Amino acid sequence: MLIEVKNLEKTYIDGAETPALRGVSFSIKKGEFVAIMGPSGSGKSTLLHILGFLDKQTSGEYRFDGKTIDDYSKEEVARVRNKKMGFVFQAFNLLTRISVLENVKLPLLYSGIKESQWDDLAKKALDSVGLSHRLYHQPSQLSGGEQQRVAIARALVNNPEVIFADEPTGNLDSKSAQTVMTILQKLNEEKGHTIVLITHETYIAEHARRIIRLLDGKIESDTLVNNRRKADHFVK
């Protein structure tokens, strides 16, 4: 099992206690495409940060690939995030003063992969999202949808076991959102990447094969998607 969560609790303390997660339990197998849904304040982004070793739970257990965050040193946690996890955020988080190619190469700085291979790996990742013609453009020269595709390529460049996508279509128009979801589906179906998607939009969640719904920090439902939405307009 790639991801195992048992009785996860997260409480923020800032003068008063604010519970964000309340006894959450589920597991995700390698190769699954899971959407985590919920209204604002339901705990979905908090959960994603814990799954990505960006934050730590107050209590309960989280195992990634059989190990908890406490099984690693700080250096090993950073290595796991770099090599086994890819992250895509709503805000793209691209560096504006360097090219698309250089942005995608950034995770390779700490990968241990020989620098002579970086260009080829980054170009391959950009090719997989249909942006081979934008290698030397700067992010400001791209549309929002293209910038998010660069962010996906950057998440892919180390060939991670799982891609965590936090509201990846939140800043995009409907056509660009469809393109991004097509890419994520192809990565799951054709390349076998595990995808964990955070969204509050039902039509986006329906591209996944399974939807976990959160409400007030608890799992409200965990269901398979019988009529999975197709995203097929994107042509590389």
Side-chain angles (χ1 to χ4, degrees), residues 67-110:
K67 293 184 177 182
T68 72
I69 193 169
D70 292 326
D71 293 330
Y72 299 103
S73 66
K74 287 184 179 180
E75 292 77 15
E76 287 170 334
V77 167
R79 195 174 302 119
V80 168
R81 281 202 305 258
N82 180 261
K83 289 190 173 183
K84 294 189 175 184
M85 300 174 177
F87 297 90
V88 181
F89 298 102
Q90 180 176 341
F92 316 142
N93 294 338
L94 301 178
L95 297 185
T96 58
R97 295 181 179 275
I98 62 176
S99 70
V100 162
L101 184 66
E102 294 301 316
N103 266 282
V104 174
K105 285 162 60 175
L106 287 173
L108 297 171
L109 290 169
Y110 308 101

Side-chain angles (χ1 to χ4, degrees), residues 16-60:
E17 293 188 358
T18 304
L21 296 173
R22 309 166 185 250
V24 171
S25 298
F26 62 90
S27 58
I28 296 174
K29 297 176 182 177
K30 290 182 180 180
E32 281 199 80
F33 188 161
V34 179
I36 299 175
M37 286 195 71
S40 179
S42 61
K44 57 188 187 296
S45 289
T46 295
L47 177 59
L48 188 79
H49 289 164
I50 293 171
L51 297 182
F53 284 170
L54 299 169
D55 197 1
K56 192 173 179 181
Q57 69 270 24
T58 304
S59 64

Side-chain angles (χ1 to χ4, degrees), residues 54-222:
L54 299 169
D55 197 1
K56 192 173 179 181
Q57 69 270 24
T58 304
S59 64
E61 185 176 82
Y62 166 45
R63 290 186 176 274
F64 178 82
D65 227 0
K67 293 184 177 182
T68 72
I69 193 169
D70 292 326
D71 293 330
Y72 299 103
S73 66
K74 287 184 179 180
E75 292 77 15
E76 287 170 334
V77 167
R79 195 174 302 119
V80 168
R81 281 202 305 258
N82 180 261
K83 289 190 173 183
K84 294 189 175 184
M85 300 174 177
F87 297 90
V88 181
F89 298 102
Q90 180 176 341
F92 316 142
N93 294 338
L94 301 178
L95 297 185
T96 58
R97 295 181 179 275
I98 62 176
S99 70
V100 162
L101 184 66
E102 294 301 316
N103 266 282
V104 174
K105 285 162 60 175
L106 287 173
L108 297 171
L109 290 169
Y110 308 101
S111 67
I113 295 171
K114 292 180 180 178
E115 189 172 354
S116 59
Q117 300 176 34
W118 291 2
D119 272 9
D120 285 344
L121 289 170
K123 288 176 181 179
K124 181 179 178 182
L126 283 161
D127 182 59
S128 72
V129 299
L131 287 178
S132 294
H133 60 300
R134 299 290 201 195
L135 300 181
Y136 303 108
H137 288 66
Q138 290 189 328
S140 61
Q141 297 173 294
L142 307 182
S143 68
E146 288 174 326
Q147 289 186 59
Q148 192 60 292
R149 284 154 62 185
V150 173
I152 293 172
R154 181 183 58 196
L156 280 175
V157 74
N158 275 332
N159 193 30
E161 291 189 28
V162 59
I163 296 172
F164 293 115
D166 191 357
E167 299 278 8
T169 61
N171 285 336
L172 306 180
D173 59 63
S174 60
K175 184 177 180 180
S176 297
Q178 181 82 345
T179 299
V180 165
M181 293 314 300
T182 296
I183 291 169
L184 291 176
Q185 277 193 349
K186 285 187 174 184
L187 293 174
N188 174 248
E189 294 172 355
E190 299 176 10
K191 304 296 184 181
H193 289 284
T194 305
I195 310 285
V196 180
L197 167 75
I198 298 293
T199 183
H200 64 278
E201 298 282 4
T202 299
Y203 82 97
I204 294 295
E206 287 174 349
H207 288 97
R209 295 186 181 277
R210 175 182 167 199
I211 299 176
I212 297 173
R213 295 180 186 272
L214 292 181
L215 183 64
D216 297 331
K218 297 180 180 180
I219 292 181
E220 184 181 37
S221 63
D222 185 346

